[in-house]
Amino acid sequence: MLRQSLLQLKAARSMSTATKTSLKIGLIPADGVGKEVIPAAQQAIAALGSDIPKPEFIPLIAGFETFTRTGVALPEETVQILKEECDCALFGSVSSPSKKVVGYSSPIVALRKELDLYANVRPVLSVAPTPEETPAVDLVVVRENTECLYIKQEQSSNGPNGREARATRLITERASSRIGKMAFELALHRPAKQVTIIHKSNVLSVTDGLFRETVRAVPLGAEGRYDGVKILEQLVDSAVYKLFRDPREFDVMVAPNLYGDILSDAAAALVGSLGLVPSVNAGDNFVMGEPVHGSAPDIAGKNIANPIASIRSAALMLRHMGYAKGADRIDAAVDTVVREGQFATPDVGGKSTTQEVVDAITRLI
Ligand code: NAI
Ligand code: MG
């Protein structure tokens, strides 16, 4: 249901998909398990055959390893090729250190800004035992992708209480409005037609207050387009509580950057593993699929990372571009493999390798 409805809004303005003879897909595995799961997504797309224009994969570099080798985490050439040559892209994950490293800054945060990929759309859907059953979790986290605390304006100084650290949090009307619009558009195409605004404006009344007000105002300027969409709101802390008590209370959840990041990892726990949850970073002119998980250093290089989050991210990316048939075939194959349970990686209780799961999926595609 979700998959049929998700991002059809973009199909209308998708990039003249009918006439394309090839689809140029930038591949940025980056670090850790990214190097295992992005090739998995590539294999799934390659297995599609005629349902999409002939895919052409363009390998690109970025990440912490790139930084340690070259001194730059996001080479200009990578950005340029994405902008000038690629129709879309798939990003793996980066291993950003928890301590400040001089000169380093996360390439994924930078890429989202460079390409103005202002929405991170993260559907979280449990696979029902049979297609007839209602999934226990079927929601979409719509995360603002360009501002909030992730603008990374941090300072430290010495004060009367020892060292002091401060961060600036930016919320703008423009970014809140366009992410709100994305949330309402998505809700229009979903059965529940409900948007919950996530905020903490009881404490952060200025920043979260602006986010809340601006998203609430989106339907007012839309000439009745969103009349059928129910608007709810929830403070972020109790939203997490409700999410764990009864995820069915939520349909589309729209949130500033940091809350959206946290909420989507939390929601991933409800469907069994971070290794299952996909996303797209979407702007008006470009889309980049990306699994929700990070570089998983604890399992990297062992051929046991779950490839499904990335394979579904590839499907989501194709759907976003208007290739619904190809996306459906990938999702259907993943559904069958998950349901049958014969091939599953350890994070979801199985014993299979990454490649065994990929092979099972591509055989079905
Ligand atoms: P993580 O998402 O990498 O891992 C959290 C847990 O989920 C780990 O137990 C890991 O083994 C498991 N997991 C993640 N992906 C999996 C997969 N495909 N299959 C099976 N299990 C999987 O988060 P963590 O450990 O907090 O961060 C590790 C590194 O990743 C850090 O350097 C962080 O900065 C980076 N990171 C990067 C992101 C990105 O590139 N967008 C997003 C989140 C974290
Ligand atoms: Mg995250």
Side-chain angles (χ1 to χ4, degrees):
M1 237 165 0
L2 168 107
R3 292 177 202 135
Q4 271 78 42
S5 59
L6 187 76
L7 297 180
Q8 275 166 348
L9 69 135
K10 290 285 173 152
R13 50 177 131 133
S14 66
M15 311 119 192
S16 58
T17 47
T19 54
K20 272 191 170 303
T21 53
S22 79
L23 194 63
K24 292 202 171 116
I25 307 172
L27 296 181
I28 315 152
D31 300 316
V33 292
K35 293 192 182 136
E36 298 161 65
V37 295
I38 293 304
Q42 176 181 1
Q43 290 171 64
I45 294 174
L48 279 175
S50 62
D51 277 334
I52 57 169
K54 192 175 164 19
E56 243 178 76
F57 299 102
I58 304 175
L60 298 168
I61 57 166
F64 192 68
E65 230 178 86
T66 300
F67 172 78
T68 49
R69 220 178 45 243
T70 68
V72 187
L74 179 62
E76 260 175 42
E77 199 194 356
T78 294
V79 178
Q80 193 189 345
I81 293 174
L82 284 170
K83 282 184 178 167
E84 291 171 13
E85 293 178 32
C86 297
D87 297 304
C88 55
L90 287 170
F91 187 93
S93 51
V94 306
S95 294
S96 293
S98 295
K99 276 185 83 170
K100 178 143 185 69
V101 174
V102 176
Y104 176 80
S105 161
S106 165
I108 182 64
V109 176
L111 255 184
R112 290 168 180 158
K113 274 201 129 170
E114 278 283 345
L115 301 171
D116 200 23
L117 304 174
Y118 61 84
N120 194 200
V121 179
R122 301 178 153 192
V124 186
L125 177 68
S126 49
V127 175
T130 68
E132 291 73 38
E133 273 179 71
T134 312
V137 185
D138 183 0
L139 57 89
V140 190
V141 178
V142 181
R143 163 188 172 192
E144 201 290 319
N145 227 4
T146 60
E147 47 186 41
C148 188
L149 282 165
Y150 288 37
I151 58 167
K152 294 195 292 184
Q153 286 182 13
E154 296 188 291
Q155 295 95 33
S156 73
S157 57
N158 289 312
N161 299 313
R163 285 172 66 207
E164 292 179 2
R166 282 167 219 277
T168 301
R169 181 172 192 242
L170 176 73
I171 301 286
T172 67
E173 203 173 355
R174 173 172 180 261
S176 307
S177 177
R178 63 184 182 172
I179 199 70
K181 191 161 173 243
M182 175 73 86
F184 280 99
E185 285 292 329
L186 282 167
L188 269 188
H189 296 94
R190 292 174 55 88
K193 293 192 176 27
Q194 177 188 299
V195 171
T196 307
I197 307 169
I198 306 297
H199 61 83
K200 186 77 185 174
S201 65
N202 56 335
V203 179
L204 300 170
S205 59
V206 178
T207 45
D208 274 344
L210 179 61
F211 183 81
R212 171 183 171 275
E213 259 171 50
T214 310
V215 176
R216 272 202 170 271
V218 167
L220 304 177
E223 292 168 356
R225 180 169 170 80
Y226 307 125
D227 279 357
V229 179
K230 189 168 163 195
I231 312 176
L232 302 171
E233 54 180 87
Q234 191 73 45
L235 298 176
V236 62
D237 43 355
S238 55
V240 174
Y241 173 76
K242 282 195 165 191
L243 191 63
F244 280 86
R245 289 286 300 214
D246 187 7
R248 289 187 214 199
E249 289 201 27
F250 296 107
D251 182 30
V252 176
M253 304 174 88
V254 61
N257 208 337
L258 177 63
Y259 305 154
D261 194 3
I262 296 170
L263 274 173
S264 42
D265 272 34
L270 298 171
V271 296
S273 172
L274 261 174
L276 297 172
V277 182
S279 84
V280 283
N281 297 283
D284 291 331
N285 303 305
F286 200 79
V287 58
M288 183 167 75
E290 182 201 356
V292 165
H293 63 74
S295 62
D298 51 339
I299 58 164
K302 296 184 180 160
N303 193 22
I304 54 165
N306 195 332
I308 288 176
S310 289
I311 291 174
R312 284 214 198 273
S313 299
L316 215 53
M317 175 190 79
L318 292 175
R319 190 178 304 289
H320 189 93
M321 298 182 76
Y323 302 113
K325 220 168 139 195
D328 286 346
R329 279 179 55 204
I330 292 178
D331 279 330
V334 173
D335 284 347
T336 303
V337 168
V338 173
R339 225 173 264 136
E340 289 177 355
Q342 191 192 346
F343 297 98
T345 44
D347 57 307
V348 284
K351 290 197 171 123
S352 308
T353 63
T354 305
Q355 195 55 47
E356 283 166 348
V357 175
V358 176
D359 290 342
I361 291 169
T362 50
R363 269 196 302 274
L364 287 172
I365 296 173

